[in-house]
């Protein structure tokens, strides 16, 4: 399957993540500010500590760790459709799983098997861009949130079509694709990453789709790091 096909067959994306799962934490550790940006976005969920949180497309659990900082008596369910990524997450959070604070499930984010209105907050970091149908995904997340609950979408969404595109082009094809491909011995998911960002929604488009799905009081936040032209957090309330 070519990269163009991966864009057209996003259901295959988790299988590609299986190939890079063992190196994922190291690659993102080298990406300066990766965890700090996730931590900032998770803080915008305004968690009090007793919530039931859903971390959609949790991967190896870096986004779960960002939410966990705010959870005391509550709990987090991380879902991902990559067995390899979840294997890493299960290893890292063994004690929190044992304590009943964290749980990981293999599920397709487009067909989440949970009751309506069963979560106080939902975090989706680097997930929406991978969904084959953005509208349907947002509608499902809206359905799963309790009234008053918050959603935070954290993803690469280019600030404007011109120079942000050029910035991303240099960054992705000049650094991320060659470096991460060598590190992980797999190229396909990184060339897909480069392309999927270029074809993803702009910040006003994400905001409009969240509004259409029913979200209110939507805030669009840029991060203060070198990713600020390309990385945004979108927070909405049900
Ligand atoms: C870039 S990783 C992000 C992981 C984590 N949220 C983080 O911030 O580090 C994207 C994750 O989305 C998952 N994913 C992609 N499409 C999915 C789908 N349809 N259902 C569930 N997980 C999916 C991949 O398997 C991968 O683990």
């Amino acid at each position: 399957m070519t990269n163009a096909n991966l864009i057209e067959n996003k259901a295959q994306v988790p299988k590609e993540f299986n190939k890079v799962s063992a190196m994922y934490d190291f690659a993102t550790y080298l990406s300066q500010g990766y965890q700090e940006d996730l931590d900032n976005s998770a803080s915008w969920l305004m968690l009090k500590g007793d919530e039931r949180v859903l971390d959609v497309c949790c991967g190896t659990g870096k986004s779960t760790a960002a939410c966990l900082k705010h959870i005391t008596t509550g709990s987090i369910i991380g879902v991902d459709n990559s067995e390899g990524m979840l294997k890493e997450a299960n290893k890292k959070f063994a004690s929190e799983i044992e304590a009943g604070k964290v749980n990981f499930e293999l599920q397709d984010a487009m067909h989440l098997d949970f009751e309506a209105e069963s979560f106080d907050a939902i975090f989706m970091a680097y997930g929406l861009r991978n969904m084959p149908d953005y509208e349907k995904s947002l509608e499902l997340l809206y359905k799963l949130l309790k009234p008053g609950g918050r959603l935070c979408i954290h993803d690469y969404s280019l600030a404007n079509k011109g120079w942000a595109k050029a910035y991303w082009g240099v960054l992705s094809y000049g650094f991320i694709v060659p470096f991460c491909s060598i590190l992980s011995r797999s190229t396909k998911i990184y060339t897909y990453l480069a392309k999927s960002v270029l074809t993803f929604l702009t910040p006003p488009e994400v905001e409009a789709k969240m509004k259409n799905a029913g979200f209110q009081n939507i805030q669009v936040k840029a991060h203060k790091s070198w990713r600020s032209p390309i990385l945004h957090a979108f927070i909405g309330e049900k």
Side-chain angles (χ1 to χ4, degrees), residues 10 13-14 17 24 34 38 55-60 62-63 79-82 85 107-110 125-127 130-131:
K10 289 186 176 178
V13 167
F17 271 99
Y24 186 83
Y34 185 90
L38 284 172
D55 180 14
V56 187
C57 296
C58 63
T60 61
K62 288 204 159 188
S63 41
V79 294
D80 200 284
N81 220 13
S82 161
M85 297 293 268
Q107 284 204 38
D108 180 353
M110 289 300 301
Y126 307 108
N130 294 315
M131 296 300 106

